[in-house]
Amino acid sequence: EVQLLESGGGLVQPGGSLRLSCAASGFIFSSYAMSWVRQAPGKGLEWVSGITGSGGSPYYAESVKGRFTISRDNSKNTLFLQMNSLRAEDTAIYYCARVSGGNSYHTYWGQGDLVTVSS
Amino acid sequence: QSVLTQPPSVSGAPGQRVTISCTGSRSNIGAGYDVHWYQQLPETAPKLLIYANTNRPSGVPDRFSASRSGTSASLAISGLQAEDEADYYCQSYDSSLNGYVFGAGTQVTVL
């Protein structure tokens, strides 16, 4: 059974940093690209960042480019999102998701982790 | 505003058929990138509903169907049931943005 479990969220002040983790199990982690998708309170889904199975070619939404860094440790089946220079508008539930298919759909999702940026 | 445009809400009586549109542009749907659909029940993570324009994952009822044409796509729910009350999102890839894009979501209400 595929499982994705996010952790590391919480309350942080504007300008601060936070590192999210996503522990994966039930599949060959290194064989799949992964994404982070977020959802602000009462709002829709926003894709944040993605990374290939090998860890190369990370890509980002314009809204987080230069502030967020996606990475993965395939030896530990874990995906990360390092978030720096956080802003109030980064407040959201952050989901990690497994990407499948050449044209890339998100097959499995974690339960999400809340990040709140507030003073 | 979202790159993919969806109606904010649709509603229908039990048993009826409703459709949700997803309108893109030449850099996403119109460029040939597939459209995928997700269902998000209240207070839960999104769930893949349709992938690659028309395909249902195992376990998704055949009441759900989808199509794509030109720069648009649509999701249809036939035989609407109370359990279908949820938010529905379309998703594709955008070559101008070099990333995935979601519609703003459509709330389906069963009257």
Side-chain angles (χ1 to χ4, degrees):
Chain A
E1 179 192 6
V2 172
Q3 290 194 332
L4 299 170
L5 184 62
E6 302 93 341
S7 61
L11 176 63
V12 61
Q13 293 189 337
S17 298
L18 213 55
R19 188 196 200 201
L20 299 182
S21 299
C22 171
S25 61
F27 64 101
I28 301 173
F29 184 64
S30 60
S31 294
Y32 290 89
M34 299 291 294
S35 280
W36 287 99
V37 178
R38 68 184 180 183
Q39 186 169 34
K43 302 297 184 181
L45 302 174
E46 180 189 14
W47 174 79
V48 172
S49 182
I51 190 168
T52 59
S54 64
S57 306
Y59 37 113
Y60 303 93
E62 281 299 321
S63 58
V64 306
K65 202 172 289 185
R67 300 187 299 122
F68 289 12
T69 302
I70 190 172
S71 63
R72 62 192 297 161
D73 184 340
N74 286 344
S75 70
K76 296 182 179 179
N77 293 345
T78 304
L79 177 72
F80 302 100
L81 186 68
Q82 177 67 43
M83 303 184 292
N84 298 332
S85 303
L86 282 161
R87 307 165 179 166
E89 54 265 36
D90 295 318
T91 295
I93 296 173
Y94 285 73
Y95 297 98
C96 67
R98 194 186 89 173
V99 180
S100 299
N103 266 309
S104 302
Y105 47 93
H106 298 82
T107 320
Y108 295 97
W109 298 66
Q111 86 290 345
D113 199 7
L114 178 62
V115 172
T116 303
V117 184
S118 175
S119 54
Chain B
Q1 60 275 24
S2 300
V3 172
L4 304 179
T5 301
Q6 297 181 233
S9 63
V10 299
S11 62
Q16 284 190 331
R17 181 177 187 269
V18 297
T19 61
I20 300 169
S21 60
C22 175
T23 303
S25 66
R26 287 182 292 180
S27 62
N28 41 69
I29 301 174
Y33 294 106
D34 285 342
V35 178
H36 321 292
W37 293 89
Y38 303 86
Q39 178 193 58
Q40 187 177 32
L41 298 170
E43 307 301 323
T44 67
K47 167 193 165 185
L48 180 66
L49 192 67
I50 297 285
Y51 67 95
N53 307 310
T54 61
N55 300 281
R56 285 186 310 274
S58 173
V60 173
D62 59 8
R63 302 184 292 103
F64 295 91
S65 62
S67 63
R68 187 192 106 187
S69 178
T71 58
S72 296
S74 65
L75 173 72
I77 310 174
S78 304
L80 197 62
Q81 299 182 5
E83 68 205 50
D84 299 332
E85 278 208 343
D87 293 324
Y88 294 81
Y89 296 89
C90 59
Q91 178 242 307
S92 187
Y93 179 85
D94 192 285
S95 58
S96 296
L97 299 174
N98 289 314
Y100 302 122
V101 289
F102 285 93
T106 298
Q107 184 177 59
V108 170
T109 301
V110 181
L111 301 172

